[in-house]
Amino acid sequence: MALNAMLVDFNSYFASCEQQMRPELRGRPVGVVPMLADTTCLIAASYEAKKFGVKTLTNVGEAKKKIPDIELVVARHELYIDFHHRAQKAVDAIAPIREVLSIDEMVCDLPSGFKTHERAVELSHRMKRHIADSIGECMKVSIGLAPNTFLAKLASDMQKPDGLVILDEQDVPMKIAHLPVRALSGIGANMEARLQRHGIRTMADLYAQTPEQLRAVWGGVGGERFHARLRGAEVHDFDHGMGSISHSHVLAPDLRNRDDAYAVLNRLTQKAAMRLRKVERFTGHMHIKVKFLNSPSWEKDTRFLATQDTLDMLHALDQLWAAFPKKKSLALLQVAVTLSDLSEERAQSGHLFGDLEQTHDKKKLNAAIDMLNVRFGKKAAYFGGAHRALDHGKIAIA
């Protein structure tokens, strides 16, 4: 089977962007953080920091113990988005991008004439040189080459930083036998536990299964599709549309109280509602979650008639927040809101006891607010419950 896919993975992306922009950080252990506070966690770490066991989600206080002179940098998400656009342009100049998987990962189709090992490696080295020349020497990438995206993703993870790994049809499973099954995209803790209940604990065990056996493990056609991906077939998932819209925010130390946490949640809910209308979807389910420094997380959800109206969602938020524990000793850390059960407008039917005129007025109000925010900025028009949090809940990739 010919090599078809090239996965380009930018190494320690956020930290590399900072090192590229700030030469004084190069060669030093760097941690990118949402804010300068020992109680928060790193959202990225440079490879110089990773050598000491400091990585993404390491507590800042713990990182300082391991590396007393670690350079902590507050995340600049607009900068990372700018680098992302430059990265896309650089990658696409060498091999056509088929799909952008995340801000630091993209998969390319290998052009005709570059599908053999020798030519694919030649193209990969050209890709690395072009990225360094056009974006910067700190922007290292690991490249995975394989017959399909699934194996190319695995290959790109096998050698970091600045790696280049080929996984051809004849390379599996021998070349990856030493890896845990969790190394495969799509296998998390729950799926690993399910595999173990079926006696599948190693890569060799997984590759020994028939399509029918994996269908039984997955409980459906997903198992057969996974079987095909393991062997290099490019199998695309069915498009079921967007499943959910969510926003979360790590609270600054001065916002870690009940009132400010609610204001941030209110702001996030208004942002989620605007996104919902932008993609022309309705929601019928809201879930909120609060993480604490000194207690297990608190979460609650509710269902309601499908809507895309901001006030309806804020009303649902108020009902959920009424149940929030009132213990003053709770140290709040992060809040999140998720809208799910998304559906298209054509799937909606009028509410039996709804006020059509009121519904029409709400639609006009939401459209006016969205228009103002698009034209004059995200704080041009908003509902008052978010006023305390206007400078929070900003754009965040991490």
Side-chain angles (χ1 to χ4, degrees):
M1 188 178 292
L3 298 173
N4 294 305
M6 169 192 280
L7 196 140
V8 182
D9 182 358
F10 283 78
N11 305 143
S12 289
Y13 178 70
F14 294 170
S16 295
C17 290
E18 294 292 348
Q19 289 176 319
Q20 185 60 44
M21 292 298 294
R22 298 175 56 186
E24 71 274 15
L25 297 179
R26 297 176 188 178
R28 295 190 52 75
V30 175
V32 180
V33 295
M35 66 193 72
L36 294 175
D38 285 359
T39 53
T40 191
C41 298
L42 271 65
I43 60 175
S46 67
Y47 274 92
E48 294 83 358
K50 291 178 180 178
K51 291 177 183 178
F52 294 91
V54 171
K55 53 187 179 180
T56 302
L57 298 184
T58 297
N59 176 268
V60 171
E62 184 63 28
K64 286 181 175 179
K65 290 180 183 178
K66 292 183 177 181
I67 313 175
D69 62 342
I70 188 171
E71 297 279 358
L72 297 176
V73 180
V74 176
R76 297 187 286 171
H77 301 287
E78 291 82 359
L79 172 69
Y80 310 147
I81 292 173
D82 177 60
F83 265 86
H84 170 69
H85 293 312
R86 293 165 62 187
Q88 279 187 271
K89 183 177 179 180
V91 169
D92 200 54
I94 303 300
I97 294 176
R98 182 202 309 157
E99 184 180 1
V100 175
L101 303 180
S102 66
I103 194 168
D104 59 354
E105 282 184 315
M106 49 206 80
V107 61
C108 304
D109 288 316
L110 284 173
S112 177
F114 289 90
K115 296 179 183 290
T116 64
H117 281 220
E118 183 179 355
R119 297 303 306 280
V121 168
E122 175 191 329
L123 191 70
S124 298
H125 287 307
R126 189 192 308 172
M127 177 77 76
K128 287 172 179 281
R129 289 194 299 271
H130 184 66
I131 289 171
D133 291 342
S134 60
I135 309 178
E137 61 186 40
C138 295
M139 306 307 290
K140 304 294 186 184
V141 296
S142 289
I143 294 178
L145 300 165
N148 65 356
T149 304
F150 179 85
L151 291 177
K153 164 66 176 168
L154 179 62
S156 71
D157 290 333
M158 290 175 64
Q159 190 180 95
K160 290 186 176 182
D162 199 25
L164 174 55
V165 174
I166 298 176
L167 283 181
D168 210 342
E169 186 181 15
Q170 63 265 25
D171 293 327
V172 292
M174 295 77 70
K175 197 171 180 178
I176 61 172
H178 64 288
L179 298 174
V181 293
R182 284 284 293 275
L184 296 170
S185 179
I187 297 185
N190 292 336
M191 180 54 71
E192 182 183 36
R194 188 188 301 182
L195 289 170
Q196 290 179 355
R197 288 196 295 270
H198 286 79
I200 303 171
R201 291 177 170 79
T202 66
M203 282 288 187
D205 294 337
L206 189 58
Y207 271 86
Q209 305 301 304
T210 66
E212 294 74 23
Q213 287 172 320
L214 288 189
R215 183 184 181 108
V217 174
W218 260 256
V221 71
E224 294 180 8
R225 299 163 72 80
F226 199 86
H227 183 277
R229 288 191 179 108
L230 285 170
R231 287 154 179 80
E234 191 67 80
V235 182
H236 298 286
D237 288 321
F238 298 114
D239 183 10
H240 296 296
M242 183 178 290
S244 64
I245 288 177
S246 61
H247 285 286
S248 64
H249 187 73
V250 177
L251 300 169
D254 60 331
L255 296 180
R256 294 176 183 176
N257 60 77
R258 181 188 177 96
D259 291 341
D260 285 318
Y262 168 78
V264 173
L265 261 178
N266 191 296
R267 178 71 172 155
L268 296 180
T269 300
Q270 294 190 45
K271 288 175 62 179
M274 184 174 175
R275 278 185 62 196
L276 191 73
R277 292 188 290 273
K278 185 177 181 180
V279 297
E280 299 180 342
R281 294 292 189 273
F282 285 66
T283 181
H285 181 253
M286 175 184 285
H287 176 272
I288 62 172
K289 183 174 184 177
V290 181
K291 291 184 179 180
F292 304 101
L293 288 168
N294 58 349
S295 182
S297 298
W298 175 86
E299 49 194 305
K300 198 167 181 61
D301 67 309
T302 184
R303 296 186 180 278
F304 39 79
L305 292 173
T307 185
Q308 59 178 192
D309 177 60
T310 300
L311 283 174
D312 288 345
M313 285 174 255
L314 292 178
H315 179 64
L317 173 64
D318 287 343
Q319 290 181 319
L320 294 174
W321 195 249
F324 185 74
K326 295 180 172 57
K327 289 172 58 178
K328 293 184 178 180
S329 60
L330 290 174
L332 287 74
L333 175 63
Q334 184 181 37
V335 295
V337 59
T338 300
L339 305 177
S340 56
D341 283 0
L342 305 190
S343 56
E344 298 181 12
E345 185 167 9
R346 64 186 179 186
Q348 309 308 314
S349 57
H351 299 164
L352 184 59
F353 300 105
D355 185 330
L356 292 178
E357 185 175 346
Q358 184 184 57
T359 300
H360 182 64
D361 288 344
K362 284 183 176 180
K363 192 171 184 177
K364 289 198 297 183
L365 175 62
N366 286 314
I369 290 175
D370 293 348
M371 181 273 292
L372 288 169
N373 286 325
V374 168
R375 186 170 181 180
F376 299 108
K378 296 293 177 64
K379 293 185 283 187
Y382 57 91
F383 290 98
H387 185 70
R388 297 166 67 112
L390 282 191
D391 292 325
H392 303 277
K394 296 179 180 178
I395 184 171
I397 303 155

